[in-house]
Amino acid sequence: GAVVSQHPSWVICKSGTSVKIECRSLDFQATTMFWYRQFPKQSLMLMATSNEGSKATYEQGVEKDKFLINHASLTLSTLTVTSAHPEDSSFYICSGQGGGFLANEQFFGPGTRLTVL
Amino acid sequence: QKEVEQDPGPLSVPEGAIVSLNCTYSNSAFQYFMWYRQYSRKGPELLMYTYSSGNKEDGRFTAQVDKSSKYISLFIRDSQPSDSATYLCAMAGAGSYQLTFGKGTKLSVIP
């Protein structure tokens, strides 16, 4: 199957700082990438959808100025959590979807655990 | 009513048992049905993918979709301790790339 990587896998930061998370599709071109957030014992909640070269589409309730998404190439998308606060602590997971796959098939990264002190 | 309902468990079974995991949904527009396996602190891994109604088998795993009842199932035969994980159902409508996930069912297979 297709491989998606995320970096870093775990990050701890102080409240008020910004954190950047990278999502890379290693062996396919991801025309669309998704960012999810998962709280403990909860399901994945879609935060935003991004298409290469376009602005991301954010889900209702997700602050686009706080969660900056850049999808500059077909293999890289970044999520920057700006002015992070403890309530932003969560497990952030990206996924990629590319042409040639079965419709709706997404390949997920291993996730990034963010802890804001 | 949530769009996708899934019993979070936890579900504990002895090794070798047949496991049945289920989801119900309310959105009749869903056409694509997936099951993902997620190990602790890892991203979800696609297990099964089904379009519309019917059954699909892959090794020890069988996925069933009953659109008339808005009910999907995943069966695991001869369960192994390595199957211990959280299983998430996910669905999408035709022409949509957005997945709607269930909460996930945590499964433990006891040796």
Side-chain angles (χ1 to χ4, degrees):
Chain A
V3 180
V4 174
S5 70
Q6 279 184 245
H7 177 79
S9 57
W10 187 31
V11 57
I12 300 176
C13 69
K14 291 182 179 180
S15 184
T17 59
S18 294
V19 174
K20 180 186 281 188
I21 303 170
E22 290 187 350
C23 175
R24 292 181 186 273
S25 56
L26 299 184
D27 52 1
F28 70 102
Q29 294 185 325
T31 50
T32 304
M33 282 186 166
F34 303 86
W35 286 94
Y36 295 85
R37 184 165 50 184
Q38 187 178 34
F39 292 106
K41 298 185 179 180
Q42 297 293 317
S43 189
L44 281 73
M45 297 300 296
L46 180 65
M47 297 175 67
T49 303
S50 73
N51 292 295
E52 184 264 340
S54 303
K55 287 186 177 180
T57 301
Y58 290 80
E59 294 300 300
Q60 190 173 12
V62 178
E63 301 173 59
K64 62 181 181 181
D65 294 329
K66 182 171 182 62
F67 299 98
L68 302 178
I69 292 172
N70 183 284
H71 192 167
S73 77
L74 287 171
T75 60
L76 174 65
S77 176
T78 60
L79 168 68
T80 301
V81 183
T82 61
S83 186
H85 290 284
E87 58 266 30
D88 298 322
S89 298
S90 187
F91 194 50
Y92 292 86
I93 306 174
C94 71
S95 71
Q97 193 275 341
F101 294 120
L102 295 170
N104 311 102
E105 189 171 6
Q106 296 180 26
F107 296 93
F108 287 82
T112 297
R113 183 161 300 281
L114 170 64
T115 301
V116 184
L117 302 176
Chain B
Q1 181 188 12
K2 291 187 177 179
E3 276 196 302
V4 179
E5 299 275 4
Q6 184 177 10
D7 186 342
L11 178 63
S12 283
V13 301
E15 183 176 355
I18 296 175
V19 176
S20 174
L21 304 167
N22 312 293
C23 287
T24 59
Y25 63 96
S26 58
N27 189 342
S28 58
F30 287 145
Q31 297 283 342
Y32 300 91
F33 304 91
M34 279 73 77
W35 285 95
Y36 286 85
R37 177 174 62 194
Q38 186 178 22
Y39 292 110
S40 182
R41 303 193 178 201
K42 299 291 184 183
E45 168 196 11
L46 181 65
L47 274 180
M48 300 288 285
Y49 177 106
T50 309
Y51 171 70
S52 195
S53 285
N55 295 354
K56 188 173 184 179
E57 187 173 322
D58 184 1
R60 296 185 295 112
F61 298 90
T62 300
Q64 288 185 352
V65 175
D66 182 349
K67 290 189 70 182
S68 62
S69 301
K70 295 189 177 66
Y71 187 86
I72 70 170
S73 302
L74 177 70
F75 297 96
I76 307 174
R77 291 184 299 281
D78 187 25
S79 56
Q80 304 294 310
S82 58
D83 295 328
S84 298
T86 296
Y87 289 81
L88 297 151
C89 63
M91 309 174 189
S96 171
Y97 295 140
Q98 293 192 353
L99 298 178
T100 300
F101 283 88
K103 266 192 159 183
T105 300
K106 186 172 183 179
L107 171 68
S108 295
V109 181
I110 312 302

